[in-house]
């Protein structure tokens, strides 16, 4: 059963691909308007919002060195010698550094925080534009228009000229990569190799700009590729080999900073520093035990981890491979000695993570259930050419949301690290609302629309305008808890009914499935 080709299925708003093209252009217009408005604002005020991020000073130092010496990923010492950037800013994201290096070498103008603000805005606009295009390919015409409109006009994770806005752009590239992979695995187009390389490139760019977000994209992409693998006996070796090759290419994006460092060393005769070029996960695991009050005396501070290692190994180089092995062993020793305390600590921390990400407890349970059910539904019926609508996309986006929350749980649960999760949540609810509409589940559709409205009203920029802030917060949070519970009940009820329906249908043996993209009409699968 192809849901969208069912003659009894109601047509969706603006489902024709010509409307889709118009909506995509309107979406680009919305993005340009908001980006342009931010450019206007930062021209007329002294912009210092980037200064609170401690890495900004290192980026500017590297830019100054580039303008003088035509080098990149370096800082100039007082005697004129070149210092590798990783010795000054160890385990840093190098995306901004590479961009300001290129600008400094080509324009010879002084790079300032105002320049960084423009870079963040342009990158955010680029990421959201690519996301709109990827949704257009998958036939999500109306959602591709509604998503940026809600993000900007209603204040959900508004575009800002600081690093938070840049993180939105990085995560938009991650989601765009997921939609491209979905389009590739469900279509027979000759341009699939190009689109796959493009999806890898998008994750690589996201990784350079913000490594944790890029890593979330790589893992979510591998998840989507794995559930699309065909395990039937016919051509099983070819299918497994193709999936393994694609996942291997995606995993290589985790090493995207390395070629730039190798090229720099070759061009400018710099020696290896022994530093790792990616974020130290084990380092964040250790100091993550100090983001809340704890019995181990750990604090959320890089110096705390460094002092712990130096007590036993005073000569170890910070951010070296040896350093990360030592700090990981320290983390595991805490687990072995007081596992119950650590488990209790993470359990308490979960509540703060949910609050920072603006998610209720019942919504968390609903996300877990929908991720499990959509994955099982897709795996069960994909080989029969039955197309449960967008189960694969919903599963992958739910996985990315959980990875964001896991990042906050294991590291620091502040909104700074969970900032782009609002983009994922609003897209997740929009996709589910579209699927509910296709399946004629009116109660679920209305409930999901109400959850979107409640999510908008719960944003921090709206709450201060309420005359009864305390009452507003209480009833808004209570309504979201109740809405999440209702969604769980509807999922269990309607999910079972759809499963029974699909079980009764014979698989289609002839013809190609409708892929739910703009190249195959206006359907959504």
């Amino acid at each position: 059963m192809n849901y969208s080709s069912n003659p009894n299925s109601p047509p969706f708003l603006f489902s024709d691909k010509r409307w889709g093209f118009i909506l995509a252009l309107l979406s680009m217009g919305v993005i340009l308007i908001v980006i342009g408005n931010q450019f206007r604002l930062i021209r007329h005020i002294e912009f210092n919002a980037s200064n609170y991020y401690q890495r900004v000073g290192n980026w500017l130092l590297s830019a100054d060195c580039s303008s003088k010496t035509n080098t990149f990923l370096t800082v100039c010492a007082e005697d004129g010698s070149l210092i590798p950037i990783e010795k000054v800013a160890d385990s840093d994201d190098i995306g901004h550094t590479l961009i300001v290096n290129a600008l400094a070498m080509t324009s010879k103008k002084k790079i300032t925080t105002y320049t960084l603000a423009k870079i963040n805005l342009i990158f955010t606009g680029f990421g959201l534009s690519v996301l709109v295009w990827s949704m257009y390919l998958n036939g999500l015409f109306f959602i591709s228009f509604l998503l940026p409109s809600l993000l900007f006009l209603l204040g959900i994770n508004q575009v800002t000229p600081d690093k938070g806005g840049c993180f939105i752009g990085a995560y938009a590239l991650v989601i765009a990569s997921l939609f491209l992979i979905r389009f590739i695995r469900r279509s027979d187009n000759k341009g699939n190799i190009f689109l796959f390389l493009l999806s890898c490139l998008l994750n690589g760019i996201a990784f350079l700009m913000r490594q944790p977000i890029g890593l979330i994209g790589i893992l979510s992409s591998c998840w989507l590729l794995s559930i699309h693998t065909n395990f039937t006996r016919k051509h099983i070796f070819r299918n497994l080999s193709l999936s393994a090759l694609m996942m291997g290419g995606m995993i290589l994006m985790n090493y995207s900073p390395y070629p730039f460092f190798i090229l720099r060393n070759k061009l400018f005769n710099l020696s290896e520093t022994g530093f790792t070029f990616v974020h130290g996960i084990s380092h964040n695991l250790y100091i993550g035990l100090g983001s809340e009050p704890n019995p181990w005396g750990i604090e959320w501070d890089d110096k705390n981890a460094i002092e712990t290692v130096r007590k036993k190994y005073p000569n170890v180089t910070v951010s070296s491979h040896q350093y990360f092995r030592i700090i990981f062993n320290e983390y595991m020793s805490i687990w072995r000695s007081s596992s119950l305390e650590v488990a209790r600590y993470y359990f308490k921390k979960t509540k703060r993570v949910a609050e920072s990400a603006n998610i209720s407890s019942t919504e968390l349970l609903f996300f877990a259930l929908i991720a499990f059910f959509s994955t099982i539904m897709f795996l069960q019926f994909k080989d029969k050419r039955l197309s449960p609508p967008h189960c694969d996309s919903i599963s992958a986006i739910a996985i990315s949301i959980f990875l964001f929350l896991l990042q906050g749980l294991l590291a620091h649960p502040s909104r700074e690290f969970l900032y782009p999760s609002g983009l994922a949540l609003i897209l997740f609810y929009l996709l589910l609302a579209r699927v509910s509409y296709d399946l004629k589940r009116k109660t679920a559709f209305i409930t999901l629309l109400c959850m979107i409205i409640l999510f908008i009203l719960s944003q921090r920029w709206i709450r201060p305008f309420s005359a009864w802030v305390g009452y507003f917060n209480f009833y808004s949070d209570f309504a979201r808890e109740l809405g999440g519970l209702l969604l769980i009940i509807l999922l269990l009820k309607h999910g079972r009914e759809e499963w029974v329906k699909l079980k009764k249908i014979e698989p289609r043996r002839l013809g190609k499935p409708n892929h739910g993209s703009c190249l195959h009409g206006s359907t959504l699968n």
Side-chain angles (χ1 to χ4, degrees), residues 121-178:
L121 288 172
I122 293 170
F123 179 74
T124 303
F126 167 73
L128 290 167
S129 299
V130 173
L131 176 58
V132 167
W133 171 68
S134 67
M135 288 192 288
Y136 172 78
L137 281 181
N138 281 272
L140 296 170
F141 303 142
F142 192 60
I143 294 178
S144 71
F145 168 71
L146 203 56
L147 180 65
S149 302
L150 285 174
L151 286 173
F152 299 147
L153 302 182
L154 299 178
I156 302 171
N157 286 356
Q158 289 176 303
V159 168
T160 57
D162 60 9
K163 65 186 179 72
C166 178
F167 294 169
I168 292 292
Y171 189 57
L173 292 180
V174 163
I175 301 178
S177 174
L178 295 177

Side-chain angles (χ1 to χ4, degrees), residues 275-331:
F275 290 89
T276 59
F277 304 140
V278 295
H279 284 197
I281 295 176
S282 55
H283 175 88
N284 287 334
L285 283 174
Y286 181 81
I287 63 175
L289 291 174
S291 62
E292 306 291 318
N294 63 89
W296 308 289
I298 301 174
E299 298 177 2
W300 176 259
D301 190 342
D302 294 335
K303 295 178 181 178
N304 187 274
I306 294 170
E307 288 173 1
T308 301
V309 173
R310 288 269 168 86
K311 285 178 183 178
K312 297 182 178 180
Y313 304 90
N315 297 323
V316 71
T317 303
V318 177
S319 294
S320 63
H321 294 285
Q322 183 186 9
Y323 169 84
F324 288 124
R325 281 196 300 269
I326 294 168
I327 202 66
F328 181 72
N329 291 334
E330 290 292 326
Y331 173 76

Side-chain angles (χ1 to χ4, degrees), residues 82-207:
L82 297 178
I83 303 173
I85 187 69
E86 61 270 25
K87 284 190 174 182
V88 179
D90 53 286
S91 302
D92 188 20
D93 306 304
I94 66 169
H96 281 90
T97 309
L98 288 171
I99 294 172
V100 296
N101 288 157
L103 289 175
M105 285 188 286
T106 54
S107 67
K108 298 299 180 181
K109 294 181 180 178
K110 185 174 178 60
I111 305 298
T112 64
T113 53
Y114 176 68
T115 311
L116 290 172
K118 292 192 289 185
I119 291 170
N120 288 338
L121 288 172
I122 293 170
F123 179 74
T124 303
F126 167 73
L128 290 167
S129 299
V130 173
L131 176 58
V132 167
W133 171 68
S134 67
M135 288 192 288
Y136 172 78
L137 281 181
N138 281 272
L140 296 170
F141 303 142
F142 192 60
I143 294 178
S144 71
F145 168 71
L146 203 56
L147 180 65
S149 302
L150 285 174
L151 286 173
F152 299 147
L153 302 182
L154 299 178
I156 302 171
N157 286 356
Q158 289 176 303
V159 168
T160 57
D162 60 9
K163 65 186 179 72
C166 178
F167 294 169
I168 292 292
Y171 189 57
L173 292 180
V174 163
I175 301 178
S177 174
L178 295 177
F179 279 124
L180 286 179
I181 290 172
R182 179 187 183 270
F183 179 76
I184 292 167
R185 298 310 300 264
R186 295 175 71 92
S187 64
D188 305 310
N189 301 311
K190 294 181 179 179
N192 282 352
I193 295 176
F194 168 76
L195 289 177
F196 175 71
L197 292 176
L198 180 59
S199 68
C200 290
L201 179 63
L202 295 180
N203 274 325
I205 294 172
F207 192 86

Side-chain angles (χ1 to χ4, degrees), residues 471-491:
Y471 292 108
F472 178 83
N473 290 352
F474 173 79
Y475 287 115
S476 174
D477 295 342
F478 177 76
R480 291 185 68 187
E481 293 283 358
L482 194 61
L485 181 61
L486 179 58
L487 286 176
I488 292 171
I489 295 171
L490 292 173
L491 173 64

Side-chain angles (χ1 to χ4, degrees), residues 19 46 56 72 116 125 143 192 205 208 216 247 265 268 285 307 333 377 399 432 457 476 486 506:
W19 271 111
E46 184 179 356
V56 168
F72 59 91
L116 290 172
I143 294 178
N192 282 352
I205 294 172
L208 290 174
I216 287 171
M247 281 189 274
N265 293 341
F268 311 122
L285 283 174
E307 288 173 1
S333 68
M377 193 90 163
I399 290 296
L432 288 175
L457 293 176
S476 174
L486 179 58
E506 289 295 323

